[in-house]
Amino acid sequence: MHLPERHGALEVQEAIIPAINRLPEMLQKTLTWDQGIEMSNHVAIAAATDVDIYFCAPSPWQRGSSENTNGLFRQHFPKGTDLSGYHPTTSSSSHTNSTEYSSL
């Protein structure tokens, strides 16, 4: 979600509620957010969307896991990609995991 100007709590709330409501129902379950003042209206957002909101603890292992997941995601979807056209049932071979791993 891109906010071109301000990133305060009210701006995030006003942008995120309609964004969540546009998601397929199966994706409207939880939201995990980094520690930030922009989510200080999380109670109102949760009430308006019926989404459970969680916050990352400042634990190094959680942070690394999140960053790794984002990195893997960006291999297939560059930053700025409009994801509204993607749906779990419309995957193609170009979106499957083709990562090669070493084995022992």
Side-chain angles (χ1 to χ4, degrees):
M1 182 176 69
H2 177 68
L3 299 177
E5 296 178 23
R6 295 182 44 102
H7 303 91
L10 184 59
E11 291 82 13
V12 169
Q13 178 183 347
E14 290 174 346
I16 205 165
I17 290 172
I20 289 171
N21 289 329
R22 285 191 303 267
L23 291 171
E25 189 173 328
M26 67 184 284
L27 298 178
Q28 295 182 24
K29 305 224 184 276
T30 65
L31 173 67
T32 303
W33 204 269
D34 201 353
Q35 300 285 340
I37 192 82
E38 69 276 2
M39 282 298 286
S40 60
N41 291 349
H42 66 92
V43 173
I45 295 167
T49 60
D50 199 30
V51 167
D52 293 326
I53 299 177
Y54 300 94
F55 291 91
C56 295
S59 170
W61 69 266
Q62 288 178 323
R63 189 70 178 192
S65 176
S66 175
E67 295 300 324
N68 182 56
T69 301
N70 288 342
L72 293 171
F73 183 79
R74 294 288 174 227
Q75 288 179 5
H76 301 283
F77 301 99
K79 192 168 187 171
T81 299
D82 180 5
L83 301 177
S84 63
Y86 292 91
H87 188 273
T89 60
T90 59
S91 65
S92 69
S93 61
S94 65
H95 296 115
T96 58
N97 185 357
S98 60
T99 305
E100 293 184 24
Y101 297 96
S102 300
S103 60
L104 297 174

